[in-house]
Amino acid sequence: MSKLGILPFATLFLLLCFFHAFADTEKRNYKKKTYIVHMDKFNMPAYFEDNLQWYDSSLKTVSLSANMIYTYSNVIHGYSVRLTSEEARMLEAKSGILSVQEEVKYELHTTRSPEFLGLLNSDAFLLDSGTTSEVIVGVLDTGVWPESGSFDDNGLGPVPSGWKGECEVGTNFTTSSCNRKLIGARFFSRGFEAAFGAIEEATESRSPRDDDGHGTHTASTAAGSAVVGASLFGFAAGTARGMARRARVAAYKVCWLGGCVSSDILAAMEKAIEDGVNVLSLSLGGGSYSDYSRDMVAIGAFAATSQGILVSCSAGNGGPSRGSLSNVAPWLTTVGAGTMDRQFPAYVSLGNGKNFTGTSLYSGKPLTSSTPLVYAGSVSNSSYGRLCMRETLIQEKVKGKIVLCERGLNARSQKALVVKDAGGVGMILANTETYGEELVADAHFIPTAAVGQTEGDEIKKYISSESNPSATIASGGTLLGVQPSPVMAAFSSRGPNPITPDILKPDLIAPGVNILAGWTGKVGPTGLSEDTRQVNFNIVSGTSMSCPHVSGLAALVKAVHPEWSPAAIRSALMTTAYSKYKSEKGIQDSATGLPATPFDYGAGHVDPISALDPGLVYDATIDDYMDFLCAINYSSDMIKIITKQEYSCKADKEYRVADLNYPSFSVPLQTASGPNGGSTTPSVIKYTRTLTNVGTPATYRVSIPQETKMVKIEIVPDVLDFTNSNEKKTYTVTFTANSMPSGTTSFTHLEWSDGKHIVNSPIVFSWT
């Protein structure tokens, strides 16, 4: 064979080797995931000049090609990086590495509320025009729509002098997008793009601009300026304003159309702390954690709390299932959702003369006459037909008719679109047992009424019993003064706390159903791609909406009491919350129609006016939280991951969760062995609490308004005499309980009062 014949063969061989190597690299890259690397800063070798040099050296021991996505110093000591699982295991085994944790994807927990909360006719409304303008609320979400009237800076003075943030430039966003109201805006996409590829800028702004609506809604709920004439298609018409309408807003975009990743969230919290926010609002959650050292929101929040920043988080939308909570660390303020006294009624009239009231935000052409009515499950080609999912309805059986669909799985507004696309002219959306009697309004595409489970069952019976069932649907506009209110939202996640049952969560509830607030100009009110309607305000429900209510109210309290710690502010909001109506009946649960419990609402529904003057507060320091971590038997490495501090639990000290100075009591009790918990030996548990006087000198006396026969409660002392401001007094509560069958729960509350203030703490007993 000639040399000329050998050359092509050699070239082909080299090309094959190259492509094999390239394919192998691509395969390994495909297998890579993002990891958060926690470094033990206190054991950094002396020969490194700085942290970054040390981080880079540690990474190069397992991968020469990997690059750090972010480095962190405020929220954790460490960095985020893309690695294979093998590289991650190798790195975690290296000296100086505390932990290497796989990144978690988070999801969003998707007006009249100031008036409902009593803010318009009170001193708080006047206070909101003064010192509140010095308070900065940071919102981690989908970004912001800066053109919204909710971010008008008219009447505001200069940006607070302590502000160090920026207005980052990006797609459709310039420095002029910020002003004296929206004082900062940043976006964090490196983690998301490392995991899912580059942001598609044709459909999504690679900037702080909000293409989703969620971030604009939450930011304007917390601290939006007053906007006269706000409404959604005429519903909820009036003046829209945030809870702290003169507070400043800083938007941190961490959520993209594909979700939110923990490396970006940590980076945003890192910057927010540097920028100088006073309150952080996070309406998101994700993952199921067995401990706080793996929860990046909890870790970031610990760093923020240590800098005096209150962190408010949504409880989640996993209700009414027990133990469905997110964001349960004791240094977080965890917020559930309730209704307001406003509804948007829609009326259903059946052919047999029966009438039902539901809810809807449909504003188009009404149905003018009685229309044939069918059940989706009977006009479908799918076993899931009753849910009205895409392409499941048979057009010939739906055309020109009203369709009853059941709630669940797909978006409520999407169900109406499915009916419309199949030729239907109206929809009745019926709740199932999961949602009970909870009514959530949506801006539907066709005449629609969402009804509770009871009404839905009756309408289904009518359809099945009549040969030619028919109905009409009519809108009832906006109805105010609805009672009872608030009612516990069925979707709001419930306790007990899945990580530490000894800490009651959620902390409290706030308005989270049918909330009117600012919206993006990018998508319609349903968020569906088919929705081309443009609105300035939208009505949305979720604990995502209740969280910024509390964030804004915390800003109000911070403005009045700038020296208060995050724990003191949370205590003021919790101990002044209410759990009963004026009739003395307990707050109702829309999922069951029965009274809700502290596992649902925590301390109760927020009452901001009372929170400004709580009388006494349960304060807590960072050291208290570290003692709590010792009490739940965390190792020194786990504590270091959370706190960034070198801290060892003392062998000669007894650490107890019962001693954490929390404003509520959750008392887990053991069911003794034997039939029905047969032992007669009672359990005795002692809790210690310390109250700080934040009012005038006064004498407080304790009471248990609702005694429980299951547990004997003794409080020592039962009188606390405060003679000075900021004076502290400690008391103990001894619970003596007999064994009860596993699963038994009992509830009561403890009150300290000086005749003017009532400092209320819920008490929960659980036998397991």
Side-chain angles (χ1 to χ4, degrees), residues 402-403 405 412 415-416 419 426-429 444 446-449 473:
I402 296 172
V403 181
C405 305
R412 298 179 299 270
K415 296 175 187 289
V419 172
M427 179 180 76
I428 297 172
L429 180 60
H444 292 289
I446 55 177
T448 295
I473 300 172

Side-chain angles (χ1 to χ4, degrees), residues 70 72 139-141 168 185-193 199 206-208 251-256 259-261 263-272 275:
Y70 293 107
Y72 311 99
V139 182
L140 272 67
D141 213 293
E168 292 184 353
R186 297 182 184 272
F187 68 100
F188 301 84
S189 63
R190 277 189 258 163
F192 182 85
E193 291 182 298
I199 300 293
R206 197 175 183 277
S207 75
Y252 298 86
K253 184 175 180 178
V254 297
C255 294
W256 304 86
C260 339
V261 296
S263 58
D264 289 337
I265 293 169
L266 274 180
M269 297 179 88
E270 174 98 3
K271 278 297 182 185
D275 289 346

Side-chain angles (χ1 to χ4, degrees), residues 699-714:
T699 298
Y700 284 79
R701 290 176 170 80
V702 74
S703 63
I704 305 288
Q706 288 179 302
E707 291 282 358
T708 172
K709 295 180 180 179
M710 298 180 182
V711 183
K712 178 185 176 184
I713 303 172
E714 182 183 11

Side-chain angles (χ1 to χ4, degrees), residues 358-501:
T359 190
S360 181
L361 296 170
Y362 174 75
S363 63
K365 185 178 179 181
L367 294 174
T368 56
S369 60
S370 187
T371 304
L373 174 64
V374 294
Y375 174 54
S378 302
V379 291
S380 170
N381 54 18
S382 166
S383 57
Y384 292 97
R386 59 190 172 80
L387 298 173
C388 294
M389 300 179 73
R390 289 186 187 275
E391 299 180 356
T392 60
L393 299 180
I394 302 170
Q395 291 189 14
E396 294 77 15
K397 297 183 178 182
V398 170
K399 188 175 181 180
K401 298 175 182 177
I402 296 172
V403 181
L404 185 145
C405 305
E406 291 185 6
R407 186 173 166 185
L409 284 187
N410 58 334
R412 298 179 299 270
S413 52
Q414 187 185 75
K415 296 175 187 289
L417 183 61
V418 170
V419 172
K420 180 177 182 289
D421 289 345
V425 297
M427 179 180 76
I428 297 172
L429 180 60
N431 280 2
T432 60
E433 184 179 0
T434 301
Y435 305 100
E437 304 308 315
E438 172 188 71
L439 298 180
V440 179
D442 296 288
H444 292 289
F445 300 95
I446 55 177
T448 295
V451 299
Q453 181 191 4
T454 303
E455 291 85 353
D457 288 346
E458 277 204 54
I459 297 171
K460 280 185 274 188
K461 286 179 183 176
Y462 164 71
I463 294 172
S464 63
S465 63
E466 291 285 329
S467 56
N468 294 298
S470 63
T472 59
I473 300 172
S475 171
T478 302
L479 183 64
L480 303 178
V482 175
Q483 297 299 331
S485 62
V487 172
M488 187 73 206
F491 61 74
S492 188
S493 291
R494 314 301 174 95
N497 186 325
I499 299 180
T500 316

Side-chain angles (χ1 to χ4, degrees), residues 109-392:
H109 286 152
T110 263
T111 155
R112 177 169 170 80
S113 46
E115 185 175 352
F116 177 68
L117 292 170
L119 289 175
L120 300 193
N121 303 308
S122 68
D123 291 339
F125 186 68
L126 299 176
L127 288 166
D128 192 19
S129 64
T131 54
T132 311
S133 65
E134 294 301 307
V135 180
I136 303 164
V137 180
V139 182
L140 272 67
D141 213 293
T142 63
V144 65
W145 191 260
E147 294 81 9
S148 170
S150 296
F151 306 114
D152 191 316
D153 66 355
N154 186 41
L156 286 173
V159 172
S161 58
W163 176 244
K164 302 180 184 68
E166 295 180 12
C167 192
E168 292 184 353
V169 175
T171 313
N172 303 317
F173 208 94
T174 67
T175 54
S176 62
S177 299
C178 296
N179 56 20
R180 290 168 300 162
K181 178 64 173 181
L182 179 64
I183 63 173
R186 297 182 184 272
F187 68 100
F188 301 84
S189 63
R190 277 189 258 163
F192 182 85
E193 291 182 298
F196 300 103
I199 300 293
E200 185 59 59
E201 294 189 53
T203 57
E204 190 168 15
S205 302
R206 197 175 183 277
S207 75
R209 182 166 291 280
D210 179 15
D211 300 308
D212 178 273
H214 193 276
T216 301
H217 198 281
T218 56
S220 57
T221 298
S225 300
V227 181
V228 177
S231 75
L232 173 65
F233 304 137
F235 293 101
T239 300
R241 52 174 68 81
M243 298 298 98
R245 63 190 175 91
R246 296 186 69 80
R248 314 303 176 114
V249 174
Y252 298 86
K253 184 175 180 178
V254 297
C255 294
W256 304 86
L257 297 182
C260 339
V261 296
S262 51
S263 58
D264 289 337
I265 293 169
L266 274 180
M269 297 179 88
E270 174 98 3
K271 278 297 182 185
I273 293 170
E274 287 180 12
D275 289 346
V277 303
N278 304 110
V279 176
L280 269 177
S281 187
L282 287 82
S283 291
L284 48 82
S288 179
Y289 305 103
S290 58
D291 66 72
Y292 303 114
S293 67
R294 306 193 70 81
D295 182 351
M296 294 304 152
V297 168
I299 293 170
F302 192 97
T305 302
S306 69
Q307 297 299 314
I309 301 167
L310 181 138
V311 183
S312 171
C313 292
S314 49
N317 297 338
S321 301
R322 280 175 54 87
S324 51
L325 291 166
S326 298
N327 304 315
V328 295
W331 48 89
L332 292 171
T333 299
T334 310
V335 189
T339 66
M340 295 191 297
D341 63 343
R342 179 180 67 193
Q343 288 182 358
F344 308 103
Y347 304 112
V348 177
S349 297
L350 301 182
N352 62 3
K354 288 190 175 182
N355 300 309
F356 302 93
T357 300
T359 190
S360 181
L361 296 170
Y362 174 75
S363 63
K365 185 178 179 181
L367 294 174
T368 56
S369 60
S370 187
T371 304
L373 174 64
V374 294
Y375 174 54
S378 302
V379 291
S380 170
N381 54 18
S382 166
S383 57
Y384 292 97
R386 59 190 172 80
L387 298 173
C388 294
M389 300 179 73
R390 289 186 187 275
E391 299 180 356
T392 60

